[in-house]
Amino acid sequence: MEQNMTALVSLFARAYHQKNKDIKIFDDPLSTKLITEKEYEMIGLNMSQGISFFNPTFKGSKEEALKWIVDHQLSPSVLVRSAFCKEAIEDKRQRCKDVDIENIQFLSIDLSQENWINTLLQGDYQEDQLSISSMLGLSYYLTKDEFKKMLKQLSKYLLKGSRLVFDYPSIQESKETKINEMLAKEADESMKAKYSFAELKEILNQCHLTIIQHENHQTVTEKYISNYNAYYKDDPIKAPEGVCYCVVEK
């Protein structure tokens, strides 16, 4: 399977946070097991060497440069959306075939394809059971039409009361989101859409999905990062502007 660099960098951000922070925005002990030492060192080196791209006026050591990049560019969106998802599903378990966790199935699905739902239905998915689907990081890389079709197809097979959790890029941009967009483009994973709240709500209505929770960068910073910032008073971080977080119900 082709390696997804965006996913690997996200894993690095979680592992760095897990190794280096006494107060966790999102406690992810498996992150340090899922990334190899070679991958961790390679990404850390590449990031620190690129500090001028992220912060042209930065002055400091390689270690300080890496800390700045992780804390202010990589970690906020990755950790906040993970914490948001954990809260939405109460007792989320991180799962991977490379660690000893049972009852998990891996399916290779291209969500831009018309018949992607068939792969899911042919697996162990149970239509008669309530479910919570995490779609974090997906909406960025689908066109609006593809995203709408995906939601419509999934909604058709969700039991009433089932929920979807996702984040999405809003039409409000920030320096951090623009940099993330450039990084995604460099990795051949261009971001394809941005949404206003009104536009998103209309799409969800057409898919018979109702918003039950919606957060912006200000509310998630207060909810998930305030304890961290109280501990690290001299170097606070915030969730990226231009990203919103949503829980919807069938």
Side-chain angles (χ1 to χ4, degrees):
M1 182 178 294
E2 184 178 348
Q3 189 177 61
N4 184 299
M5 185 53 65
T6 301
L8 187 58
V9 171
S10 296
L11 176 59
F12 168 82
R14 296 199 303 273
Y16 182 95
H17 188 77
Q18 190 69 25
K19 286 184 176 184
N20 293 283
K21 305 298 181 179
D22 297 323
I23 298 296
K24 307 288 194 296
I25 296 172
F26 178 70
D27 191 10
D28 187 3
L30 290 184
S31 62
T32 56
K33 299 178 181 179
L34 299 180
I35 191 168
T36 67
E37 183 177 347
K38 182 179 180 180
E39 289 169 335
Y40 187 88
E41 292 179 352
M42 179 269 293
I43 294 175
L45 178 61
N46 288 342
M47 287 293 169
S48 63
Q49 289 176 340
I51 184 61
S52 60
F53 173 76
F54 296 98
N55 185 351
T57 63
F58 179 85
K59 296 184 184 300
S61 67
K62 289 190 301 182
E63 291 75 17
E64 290 169 334
L66 180 59
K67 178 181 181 298
W68 190 97
I69 293 170
V70 175
D71 285 354
H72 298 282
Q73 186 63 50
L74 303 182
S75 283
S77 60
V78 172
L79 298 175
V80 166
R81 71 189 184 194
S82 296
F84 179 77
C85 183
K86 180 179 180 180
E87 181 185 60
I89 66 176
E90 297 169 0
D91 188 26
K92 179 183 179 182
R93 295 181 67 197
Q94 298 290 333
R95 302 176 178 222
C96 180
K97 63 181 178 182
D98 294 328
V99 293
D100 295 328
I101 301 177
E102 300 177 350
N103 301 323
I104 184 169
Q105 183 180 21
F106 290 85
L107 301 173
S108 179
I109 295 177
D110 184 347
L111 295 173
S112 66
Q113 298 300 309
E114 292 284 344
N115 62 347
W116 70 267
I117 194 70
N118 294 335
T119 305
L120 179 64
L121 297 176
Q122 290 165 7
D124 291 335
Y125 179 72
Q126 299 176 4
E127 299 175 50
D128 60 345
Q129 298 291 318
L130 285 173
S131 63
I132 298 180
S133 302
S134 168
M135 303 190 302
L136 297 169
L138 289 180
S139 64
Y140 304 79
Y141 305 107
L142 298 173
T143 66
K144 291 183 179 181
D145 186 53
E146 289 169 347
F147 186 54
K148 181 178 178 180
K149 286 181 179 178
M150 181 193 71
L151 290 174
K152 275 190 173 180
Q153 282 193 313
L154 190 55
S155 176
K156 181 179 178 182
Y157 295 97
L158 289 177
L159 187 68
K160 185 175 177 59
S162 292
R163 295 181 176 183
L164 307 178
V165 184
F166 62 92
D167 57 335
Y168 70 92
S170 74
I171 56 175
Q172 177 189 10
E173 286 189 313
S174 66
K175 176 185 176 182
E176 291 79 14
T177 55
K178 288 179 180 178
I179 290 177
N180 281 339
E181 192 168 351
M182 286 189 285
L183 290 174
K185 188 174 183 179
E186 288 294 320
D188 293 325
E189 297 166 3
S190 298
M191 298 183 184
K192 299 180 179 179
K194 297 181 179 69
Y195 302 86
S196 68
F197 178 75
E199 183 179 22
L200 179 73
K201 188 175 181 180
E202 176 59 26
I203 290 174
L204 294 170
N205 286 340
Q206 293 177 24
C207 299
H208 308 291
L209 297 169
T210 302
I211 296 175
I212 61 172
Q213 184 179 358
H214 187 274
E215 309 282 358
N216 61 24
H217 73 280
Q218 293 174 319
T219 57
V220 294
T221 295
E222 175 61 29
K223 184 176 291 187
Y224 304 117
I225 309 182
S226 58
N227 288 340
Y228 174 95
N229 285 343
Y231 187 83
Y232 295 101
K233 294 179 181 179
D234 296 332
D235 193 20
I237 65 176
K238 63 181 179 65
E241 297 180 30
V243 178
C244 294
Y245 310 83
C246 196
V247 181
V248 301
E249 187 171 279
K250 170 71 179 291

